[in-house]
Amino acid sequence: MVATVMAAITVCAAESGAPTGVPDVLKTVAGKPVTTVETWEQVRRPEVLELFKTHVFGRNAVERPSTLRFEPIEPDREMMEGKALRKRVNIRYSGPGGEGAIALTAFIPKAAQPVPAFVLICNRSSAKHIDPDRLTKNPFFPAEELVARGYAALAFHNGDVDPDFHDGFTNGVHAVFQPDPSVRKPDAWGTIAAWAWGASRVMDWIETQPTIDRTRVGVVGHSRGGKTALWCGATDTRFALTISNNSGCGGAKFNRMALPKSESIARINKSFPHWFCTNYKQYGDNEDALPVDQHMLVALIAPRLAYVASATLDDWAGQPGEFHSCLLASPVWRLYGQQGLVGETLPAPDTPLHQGRVGYHLRTGKHDLTLYDWQRFMDFADKHK
Ligand code: GCU
């Protein structure tokens, strides 16, 4: 691991010195340097968003559906020794292909003022990882700790939006809004885009909740959920903070970097053909042809808060690549007169970089979302409120 990281740091240094072939986040498609916030917001940001829709995640069939409605699953209940109110709601929608529902669980601390919140896109089983009754408390969703620090803890299961297997887009939200998969275009939304869409529907619900401060909501995801969180933060500017944990390929990991132990675009398309749009397939073993790299995904979050977390034993996610995207995205925060990532090289394990508006840490341990990670996310959110 140390050797891999060292080798990759050398690559980082070489690339940050004189990047060749790396798409420049601050240069328009027409080749014009972007030197003002206005040009970023009106020209370059829309271009980058469009590139990710066309080549990576695909284009949503629908945004907020007119059929969206919120239906309580059961009456609100006091939990956590009276410290929190639990709300359970079904976020329902329908379209030409039928109906769908996202079961949301929210623990909202009792407070005099509206509270900030974290929304977890949970890619592990709801029963064990969300457990609305809190009989099973899993650090993947440490609701008690979040509530104790004054944050509302919200979670939904990604599979409610779209089941995580390749079924040719005949189930989940894809089928609700596009019942005939044979007419899907090469840039039609894949499963990650669908999950991100689900997180946006949670935000629609949050906007109806006076006890939650909608201006201070973070979206959090681990691994495939971390890729999703980044796309959600990129596409939905209502999220003030975007947190991607161990997101790797298609998430925060920079593609144009020699990290042989990490997942490639070819591998991810082969193992998970449903995650991205069909156009993304052409970039397997052909990363250099991709008109974006993942630093541009992180940059779409500027000037809001972004956070990327890696783990020392998670070579598959390519830790130095996750770090490198934060570094190369940071000039966009600087355009706003803010600090992006403050730090030049991959930090030592368990020494978080929290000074700028792009946070990063490398946790000791394996691919997972742990209490340590959540504590650092909350520290970062506390610091940048
Ligand atoms: C696999 C996959 C990764 C993904 C991970 C996960 O390892 O290759 O891209 O991030 O699963 O979601 O746990």
Side-chain angles (χ1 to χ4, degrees), residues 123 222-225 227 246-247 249 263 268 272 275 316 367:
N123 57 306
H222 165 67
S223 207
R224 64 199 72 188
K227 307 179 211 295
N246 304 181
S247 61
C249 182
E263 189 173 28
I268 205 166
F272 306 97
W275 282 1
W316 187 239
H367 182 76

Side-chain angles (χ1 to χ4, degrees), residues 127-207:
K128 285 199 190 132
H129 298 87
I130 299 178
D131 189 11
D133 295 327
R134 306 310 289 161
L135 301 174
T136 308
K137 295 189 180 71
N138 195 304
F140 199 81
F141 179 55
E144 286 72 12
E145 278 78 4
L146 290 166
V147 163
R149 285 183 60 167
Y151 290 94
L154 281 67
F156 72 99
H157 188 245
N158 61 344
D160 284 3
V161 190
D162 191 33
D164 191 3
F165 57 88
H166 188 42
D167 66 324
F169 302 101
T170 54
N171 65 16
V173 70
H174 296 103
V176 170
F177 294 107
Q178 272 174 337
D180 179 3
S182 72
V183 299
R184 269 177 69 85
K185 300 214 170 94
D187 65 349
W189 57 341
T191 292
I192 290 178
W195 295 336
W197 178 92
S200 287
R201 304 293 68 83
V202 171
M203 181 53 109
D204 294 339
W205 178 77
I206 289 173
E207 289 185 328

Side-chain angles (χ1 to χ4, degrees), residues 109-348:
K110 298 248 190 77
Q113 303 288 330
V115 294
F118 285 97
V119 177
L120 173 68
I121 300 161
C122 182
N123 57 306
R124 295 189 180 166
S125 81
S126 306
K128 285 199 190 132
H129 298 87
I130 299 178
D131 189 11
D133 295 327
R134 306 310 289 161
L135 301 174
T136 308
K137 295 189 180 71
N138 195 304
F140 199 81
F141 179 55
E144 286 72 12
E145 278 78 4
L146 290 166
V147 163
R149 285 183 60 167
Y151 290 94
L154 281 67
F156 72 99
H157 188 245
N158 61 344
D160 284 3
V161 190
D162 191 33
D164 191 3
F165 57 88
H166 188 42
D167 66 324
F169 302 101
T170 54
N171 65 16
V173 70
H174 296 103
V176 170
F177 294 107
Q178 272 174 337
D180 179 3
S182 72
V183 299
R184 269 177 69 85
K185 300 214 170 94
D187 65 349
W189 57 341
T191 292
I192 290 178
W195 295 336
W197 178 92
S200 287
R201 304 293 68 83
V202 171
M203 181 53 109
D204 294 339
W205 178 77
I206 289 173
E207 289 185 328
T208 68
Q209 297 301 304
T211 55
I212 301 181
D213 179 355
R214 68 171 79 171
T215 68
R216 289 188 60 207
V217 180
V219 59
V220 185
H222 165 67
S223 207
R224 64 199 72 188
K227 307 179 211 295
T228 308
L230 285 172
W231 186 233
C232 174
T235 51
D236 192 337
T237 56
R238 294 174 297 174
F239 287 96
L241 164 62
T242 301
I243 299 175
S244 121
N245 193 70
N246 304 181
S247 61
C249 182
K253 191 194 77 157
F254 192 68
N255 293 306
R256 290 164 172 83
M257 191 183 248
L259 294 169
K261 287 190 188 161
S262 80
E263 189 173 28
S264 64
I265 294 179
R267 271 296 287 272
I268 205 166
N269 277 324
K270 189 159 187 283
S271 318
F272 306 97
H274 55 299
W275 282 1
F276 301 91
C277 71
T278 306
N279 279 338
Y280 195 53
K281 307 261 191 299
Q282 58 190 293
Y283 303 105
D285 294 325
N286 194 18
E287 279 83 357
D288 288 342
L290 189 62
V292 292
D293 210 316
Q294 301 307 104
H295 61 305
M296 293 156 77
L297 179 59
V298 177
L300 286 170
I301 296 160
R304 292 165 293 137
L305 297 164
Y307 199 108
V308 170
S310 309
T312 55
L313 298 176
D314 191 14
D315 290 347
W316 187 239
Q319 312 90 337
E322 295 176 318
F323 175 79
H324 198 60
S325 288
C326 298
L327 207 59
L328 290 197
S330 292
V332 181
W333 273 267
R334 292 201 283 273
L335 205 59
Y336 284 89
Q338 295 173 346
Q339 289 184 311
L341 182 76
V342 176
E344 288 298 311
T345 52
L346 194 73

